[in-house]
Each structure stands twice: as structure tokens, then as C-alpha cells.
């Protein structure tokens, strides 16, 4: 980000005297065919800024919401669209930046990106996954699910497409699934690292953190840490590379080859003017839907995980009890987005998608929005997963830069987004139902986690039905009601036939959006060893929310 910022300052100093602001009704400058210009796009308010960002994210170089502008790299077609949309555009330069130089004092060690030591390379990411497998038998597996373009078509280069699967073999039942892809766009450094950190958090927390433990006992987490490894390898040299490396496209410009993988999905492919027919364009959609081997792999893996839960049209909803969540992690923009991106029409399950989206945005404090911007995007990952299979699907745009500086990544992106991903992992069984209910927080066995059998213990928690990011209109009208009930289970959750025990409101009555709840748990008959206490709450609309848990140890 420092390099991009320095670049933009240099551009302003060099070209500021000749910059002109063009708006609707004024004749736009002519950008030579096949050439690009650096422009500063001004906006008033976050909503307009987000709409521009979503429509033109492929062209972004830098954003400053405080000063109200995006710095973008555009051709004539994009410039005309911006002016026609009524936004003020300032032409800054006709010089095109394409490489950010590495600092001489940081060449990296092969496992981390030079000058960005917080981000692992493709090799470093794969090595971490292999270490996780070695250290966590019975909890983690590493699946080879296909090959990258280079692996298939270019000698001595390319990568296996790998998925890290996390779930405990101790519980052998059919489990709902969360599938996360990262680094589909090569230059987005933070994405693969965040999802790798998520994997490390899960395996390190198993047996230590009760929520992580029950999630990995009863759910499956599937992580494609590097979805575009060939392109990512180029971007690791601080090249603003976006696409894959398909050499059959854009023969006139080797540095513009490849297809935009997030415009290549089958559902809605090239349907709505949301991608480019120009092979050299950053949003080139490929020769046909799923023409690229990386997307063939993702689509096949989606079909292997999730049942087909809706008709392949734009109007039929998935059933309320549809299962599974798919999240595609990108950067940048600080957004949580759901379908559709190809049209401004609401998706058939729009209310349920929005409810979970606003729950996720509560944790990372991002802006929750439908994926459509000023202009549509088509052939995208979330539209495909939901449109083709009825899976609750999201795109999370991390942070404020493609090459996010490490201090921001460590201090903000990681701590803000890991809880959001963990919440998604909690609700994968029924993502169109459970997020409407309240969250159970701070579950605790008051007397401590080790007691003798027969000792009564107090279970308490905070149940809150107001955990939504309130933004963009409907936030004030989310399904928020008074808490009406709470219950706990010992060891066996309801989906395995567990028996519920009612809990009481600590103040004597259930009548508020947040309630402290309590119950006495009789430990008589519990075998020595560790037990899991699950707690959940129900609101006045009848919706049960996500479980949280605490350990209870019965001594010999």
C-alpha cells in the first residue's frame, strides 16, 4: 500500500497541473485504443463509493474514503461508463504502472513474499498445510482436486489444486460443510493468508476452545487456500496480476494474457455485460463458462460437497432448510456481498442471504450489500454457488489494498475476520434459518470446569438477538425480537437426538433483546472426563440461534 500511495502522490505531482475533471455532459478525453489512463474518481458518501468499487474493482489501484476518491486504471469504455453514471472523473496520467519494485533489503526466504513477511508464498502456504496434516492426524487431510493451467499445459511449472479439509474423525456422521476459496485474483495478498490463519486457528483450538472443538466434531471445513496459484506466483513479485496464466488468450500482449477466474463461472456466464469479450481486458471472461481448469476444479468440488437445492433460474428459492455455505475471499473493499451481482433484482432467498450477511458484517464491521454495483458482474463465484446449487454464498472483500501492508493485516484484518469465518462455520447446517435467531455468548460453567460427579453446577450465558451490522437501509428492520427461551444440552446436540434442558432468564422474565440466562446442571451420572455443554437461545419469532459451548470436566 505504501508503494501504491507513493505512486499516486507522484502521479499527482507530475500531472496535477494538466488534470481536468470530467462529468456528465462534458466531452470526455480520448484514450487511444488499447491504452489505459490513471484516473481519480470522486464520490460523495460510502454508498456511492461502494457501488463504484464493486463495478470497477478490477481497475482499482487505491481508495481513500476519507477524501472521497478511488484511483483507477481504465480504458475508454470504462471512462465513458463512469462519466455516464454521473461521477466526476479526473484524468491523472496516461502512464500505466504495472510493477511495484521490491525493496533491496527484503528478498524473502521462499516461504514469504519479499517485503511482505506476513504473507506466505504459494510454496509457504502449501508447506503450512502439509505441516497441519502431519501434526493433526485424524483432524486434517490435504486433497489434490485438480491442476492449474500451467500444470496442465506448461512444462515444469504449475501447481496441484489443493483443498485442506478439517473435521474430526471421532464423530462419524453426515456433516454440513463450509467451503472457502481464496486468492482467486492473484494480486490480493491478504486473502490466502487470512484463510491459512483460519486453518491454523481451528487446529490449534481443537480440544482447547469448546466452540472450535464442537464445530470440528460436527461440521466439515474445506479450504482452497490458493485458487489461482500460477497467477499468484507472478503477483508475488509485486506485479498487479489478476487473471490466470492461460497463454491462449491475448496473443498480442503477453503481460495481459489469461482469463478473469471470477468471471468464468458457468452460471450467468457472459450474461449481463458484467465482463469483457476482450481477451486482453482484466475482466475477460474466458472462451466459455468454466473454460479455465481452475474454475472447472472449483465447480466440480462445489458439486461434490453440496446437493442441488434449487432450480437453475433466477426466481426459484432454495428451501429454508438448505444446507452449506460457500465464501469466496477477495480484496479489497471492506464488503460482505451476496447474490445477485448480475442484476439489481433481489435473489429468491434475498432476506435469508441478507440476514446471514449482516451477521458476518457485525464481526468484521464491513459493509453488507447485494453484489450488484453501478454495473453488473457476471460469471462470478457467489452467483454460481447460489444459482447452481442453492448454497448460501458470499464474497468477502478484505481491507483497503491489493498489497495490504502487514501492520494493517495483523492488527485489523485478521482479528476482525476470523470471528466472522468462525460464525459461518457455526451455522452451516441451516444458514437460511439459524442466523435469524439470537447468538449465545459467553457460555460458562460458573463453578469451574472440573467438579466431582453429582455436584450441581451453574450454567450461564448471554443470549443476544441484536448481533447485526446495521447499514444500508434494511439493517434497522432485521429479524430482531425479545429473547423468549434458552436451553442447554450435554454432550449430544439436537441433530443427534440430544435432550434439551430449559434455562431461565437471570432477571426472572424473558422480555429484552439481550438476556442473561442460567440453569442448574445435575452432574450425577456423568462419567469421569470432559463433557461438552451446548447452549442456544430462541427469540419471540420462534427462531433458534447458533450454539456456543463450554467444557465441563468430571473428576475421577
Amino acid at each position: 500500500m505504501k508503494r501504491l500511495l507513493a505512486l499516486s502522490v507522484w502521479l499527482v505531482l507530475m500531472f496535477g497541473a494538466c488534470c481536468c475533471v470530467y462529468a456528465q455532459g462534458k466531452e470526455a478525453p480520448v484514450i487511444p485504443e488499447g491504452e489505459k489512463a490513471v484516473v481519480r474518481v470522486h464520490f460523495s458518501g460510502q454508498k456511492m463509493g461502494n457501488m463504484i468499487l464493486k463495478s470497477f474493482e478490477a481497475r482499482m489501484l487505491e481508495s481513500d474514503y476519507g477524501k472521497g476518491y478511488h484511483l483507477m486504471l481504465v480504458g475508454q469504455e470504462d471512462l465513458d461508463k463512469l462519466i455516464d453514471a454521473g461521477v466526476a472523473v479526473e484524468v491523472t496520467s496516461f502512464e500505466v504502472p504495472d510493477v511495484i519494485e521490491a525493496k533491496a533489503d527484503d528478498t524473502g526466504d521462499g516461504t514469504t513474499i519479499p517485503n511482505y513477511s506476513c504473507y506466505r508464498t504459494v510454496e509457504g502456504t502449501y508447506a503450512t498445510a502439509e505441516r497441519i496434516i502431519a501434526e493433526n492426524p485424524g483432524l486434517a487431510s490435504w486433497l489434490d482436486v485438480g491442476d492449474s493451467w500451467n500444470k496442465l499445459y506448461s512444462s515444469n511449472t504449475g501447481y496441484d489444486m489443493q483443498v485442506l479439509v478439517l473435521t474430526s474423525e471421532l464423530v462419524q456422521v453426515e456433516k454440513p460443510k463450509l467451503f472457502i476459496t481464496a486468492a482467486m485474483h492473484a494480486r490480493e495478498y491478504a486473502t490466502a493468508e487470512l484463510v491459512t490463519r483460519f486453518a491454523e486457528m481451528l487446529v490449534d483450538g481443537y480440544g482447547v476452545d469448546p466452540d472450535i472443538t464442537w464445530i470440528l466434531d460436527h461440521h466439515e471445513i474445506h479450504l482452497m487456500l490458493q485458487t489461482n496459484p500460477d497467477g499468484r506466483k507472478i503477483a508475488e513479485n509485486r506485479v498487479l496480476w489478476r487473471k490466470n496464466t492461460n497463454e491462449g488468450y491475448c496473443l498480442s500482449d503477453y503481460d495481459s494474457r489469461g482469463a478473469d477466474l471470477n468471471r468464468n463461472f458457468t452460471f450467468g456466464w457472459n450474461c449481463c455485460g458484467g465482463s469483457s469479450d476482450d481477451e486482453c481486458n482484466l475482466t475477460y471472461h474466458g472462451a466459455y463458462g468454466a473454460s479455465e481448469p481452475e474454475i472447472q476444479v472449483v465447480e466440480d468440488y462445489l458439486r461434490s460437497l453440496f446437493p442441488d437445492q434449487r432450480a437453475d433460474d433466477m426466481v426459484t428459492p432454495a428451501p429454508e432448510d438448505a444446507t452449506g455455505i460457500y465464501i469466496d475471499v477477495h480484496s479489497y473493499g471492506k464488503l460482505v456481498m451476496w447474490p445477485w451481482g448480475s442484476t439489481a433484482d433481489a435473489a429468491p432467498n434475498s432476506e435469508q442471504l441478507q440476514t446471514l450477511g449482516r451477521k458476518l458484517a457485525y464481526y468484521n464491521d464491513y459493509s453488507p450489500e447485494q453484489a450488484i454495483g453501478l454495473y453488473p458482474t457476471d460469471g462470478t463465484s457467489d452467483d454460481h454457488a447460489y444459482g447452481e446449487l442453492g448454497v448460501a454464498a458470499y464474497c468477502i472483500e478484505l481491507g483497503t489494498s491489493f498489497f495490504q501492508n502487514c501492520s494493517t493485516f495483523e492488527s485489523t484484518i485478521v482479528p476482525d475476520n476470523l470471528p466472522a469465518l468462525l460464525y459461518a462455520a457455526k451455522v452451516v447446517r441451516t444458514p437460511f434459518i439459524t442466523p435469524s435467531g439470537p447468538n449465545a455468548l459467553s457460555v460458562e460453567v460458573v463453578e469451574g470446569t472440573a467438579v466431582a460427579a453429582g455436584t450441581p453446577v451453574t450454567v450461564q450465558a448471554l443470549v443476544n438477538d441484536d448481533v447485526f451490522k446495521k447499514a444500508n437501509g434494511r439493517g434497522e428492520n432485521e429479524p430482531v425480537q425479545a429473547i423468549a427461551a434458552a436451553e442447554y444440552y450435554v454432550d449430544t446436540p439436537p441433530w443427534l437426538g440430544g435432550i434439551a434442558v430449559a434455562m431461565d432468564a437471570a432477571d426472572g422474565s424473558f422480555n429484552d433483546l439481550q438476556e442473561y440466562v442460567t440453569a442448574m446442571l445435575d452432574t450425577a451420572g456423568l462419567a469421569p472426563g470432559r463433557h461438552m455443554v451446548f447452549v442456544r437461545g430462541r427469540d419471540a419469532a420462534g427462531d433458534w440461534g447458533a450454539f456456543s459451548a463450554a467444557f465441563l470436566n468430571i473428576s475421577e
Side-chain angles (χ1 to χ4, degrees):
M1 185 63 182
K2 290 180 180 177
R3 289 281 179 169
L4 286 175
L5 181 59
L7 170 66
S8 66
V9 171
W10 176 81
L11 289 170
V12 171
L13 292 174
M14 289 293 291
F15 297 93
C18 61
C19 288
C20 297
V21 176
Y22 298 86
Q24 195 172 30
K26 289 190 65 175
E27 183 177 354
V30 176
I31 301 174
E33 185 175 354
E35 300 298 326
K36 304 290 184 183
V38 178
V39 299
R40 192 187 304 273
V41 180
H42 298 271
F43 54 84
S44 58
Q46 181 172 335
K47 183 176 182 180
M48 176 58 71
N50 288 352
M51 292 179 70
I52 296 169
L53 180 65
K54 287 187 288 182
S55 291
F56 295 95
E57 44 88 22
R59 289 82 168 171
M60 291 292 165
L61 296 175
E62 175 191 304
S63 296
D64 190 325
Y65 274 82
K67 296 180 179 178
Y69 73 83
H70 298 302
L71 195 69
M72 297 167 55
L73 182 64
V74 300
Q76 187 68 51
E77 180 182 1
D78 293 324
L79 182 62
D80 293 341
K81 283 184 176 182
L82 287 162
I83 293 173
D84 289 344
V87 296
V89 181
E90 177 185 355
V91 177
T92 304
S93 169
F94 288 95
E95 297 293 324
V96 180
D98 58 355
V99 178
I100 298 178
E101 297 293 338
K103 287 185 178 178
D105 60 352
D106 185 356
T107 59
D109 60 0
T111 64
T112 60
I113 297 175
N115 205 40
Y116 293 89
S117 58
C118 61
Y119 301 124
R120 279 165 269 215
T121 60
V122 176
E123 289 76 12
T125 302
Y126 282 11
T128 296
E130 290 166 357
R131 174 183 59 77
I132 287 173
I133 304 305
E135 295 177 356
N136 298 275
L139 190 63
S141 56
W142 189 222
L143 304 183
D144 183 349
V145 295
D147 296 322
S148 69
W149 191 93
N150 279 4
K151 183 75 179 289
L152 288 171
Y153 302 110
S154 182
S155 61
N156 301 319
T157 63
Y159 296 88
D160 294 325
M161 301 285 291
Q162 301 272 18
V163 174
L164 180 62
V165 183
L166 303 177
T167 191
S168 173
E169 294 179 358
L170 295 176
V171 181
Q172 293 288 334
V173 295
E174 183 66 25
K175 300 178 182 181
K177 300 167 180 67
L178 168 66
F179 180 32
I180 303 177
T181 52
M184 191 173 293
H185 289 149
R187 62 192 177 187
E188 299 169 4
Y189 280 3
T191 61
E193 185 63 28
L194 175 72
V195 180
T196 304
R197 301 279 184 103
F198 182 53
E200 291 175 319
M201 181 187 78
L202 292 175
V203 295
D204 291 345
Y206 185 75
V208 178
D209 181 286
D211 279 340
I212 290 174
T213 303
W214 79 256
I215 288 170
L216 292 184
D217 280 342
H218 297 277
H219 296 170
E220 291 181 12
I221 313 299
H222 298 249
L223 308 173
M224 186 174 284
L225 306 173
Q226 297 282 358
T227 311
N228 181 9
D230 298 339
R232 178 54 171 258
K233 203 64 207 167
I234 298 173
E236 287 173 6
N237 294 314
R238 276 147 309 280
V239 179
L240 287 169
W241 196 271
R242 173 181 171 89
K243 301 191 284 183
N244 74 346
T245 58
N246 189 330
E247 296 176 4
Y249 302 135
C250 191
L251 300 181
S252 63
D253 184 358
Y254 187 74
D255 289 336
S256 298
R257 67 192 185 277
D260 183 344
L261 296 182
N262 204 30
R263 300 295 186 272
N264 187 239
F265 284 85
T266 303
F267 189 90
W269 179 83
N270 195 26
C271 71
C272 312
S275 56
S276 177
D277 296 331
D278 179 359
E279 293 183 356
C280 299
N281 192 285
L282 286 173
T283 60
Y284 175 58
H285 45 56
Y288 51 87
S291 60
E292 306 313 297
E294 295 89 352
I295 298 309
Q296 293 169 21
V297 168
V298 174
E299 289 193 6
D300 289 346
Y301 201 72
L302 281 164
R303 283 189 290 269
S304 75
L305 293 182
F306 305 115
D308 190 346
Q309 300 168 108
R310 66 176 295 274
D312 299 342
D313 57 32
M314 302 293 286
V315 296
T316 304
E320 281 208 347
D321 62 352
T323 187
I325 295 174
Y326 169 65
I327 298 176
D328 190 16
V329 182
H330 285 258
S331 69
Y332 63 93
K334 301 179 72 172
L335 300 167
V336 175
M337 299 185 292
W338 54 85
W340 304 115
S342 58
T343 174
D345 295 339
N349 295 96
S350 60
E351 289 196 11
Q352 297 100 321
L353 289 166
Q354 181 173 251
T355 293
L356 175 52
R358 292 190 189 279
K359 271 275 174 78
L360 298 175
Y362 171 85
Y363 292 100
N364 58 22
D365 199 29
Y366 287 3
S367 182
E369 305 185 8
Q370 184 177 332
I372 186 71
L374 285 175
Y375 299 98
T377 55
D378 50 32
T380 57
S381 57
D382 50 344
D383 274 17
H384 177 86
Y386 171 73
E388 187 79 13
L389 300 172
V391 176
Y394 296 84
C395 174
I396 297 179
E397 294 275 3
L398 304 175
T400 57
S401 172
F402 296 131
F403 299 167
Q404 190 79 59
N405 65 69
C406 284
S407 62
T408 300
F409 177 77
E410 299 283 7
S411 66
T412 304
I413 291 177
V414 171
D416 289 352
N417 282 280
L418 289 182
L421 297 181
L422 190 65
Y423 180 80
K426 281 188 174 186
V427 300
V428 291
R429 187 173 299 275
T430 49
F432 292 153
I433 297 174
T434 305
S436 293
N439 285 24
L441 308 170
S442 305
V443 178
E444 180 186 12
V445 177
V446 176
E447 287 76 12
T449 58
V451 299
T455 304
V457 297
T458 305
V459 179
Q460 67 180 23
L462 172 65
V463 180
N464 185 348
D465 201 40
D466 197 24
V467 183
F468 294 96
K469 175 68 179 288
K470 295 176 173 59
N472 304 329
R474 193 175 176 272
E476 299 297 335
N477 301 315
E478 290 297 342
V480 175
Q481 295 89 22
I483 306 303
E487 61 188 21
Y488 75 81
Y489 298 74
V490 178
D491 292 332
T492 307
W495 54 83
L496 295 181
I499 299 173
V501 179
M503 303 181 73
D504 299 316
D507 62 2
S509 62
F510 288 107
N511 56 11
D512 204 348
L513 298 179
Q514 300 183 51
E515 294 281 359
Y516 285 96
V517 298
T518 185
M520 294 301 298
L521 189 159
D522 184 1
T523 64
L526 292 181
R530 190 178 67 189
H531 298 265
M532 185 79 74
V533 181
F534 299 85
V535 174
R536 67 175 177 174
R538 176 172 60 81
D539 62 25
D543 296 316
W544 287 101
F547 278 102
S548 291
F551 289 135
L552 170 62
N553 290 306
I554 301 300
S555 58
E556 293 290 343

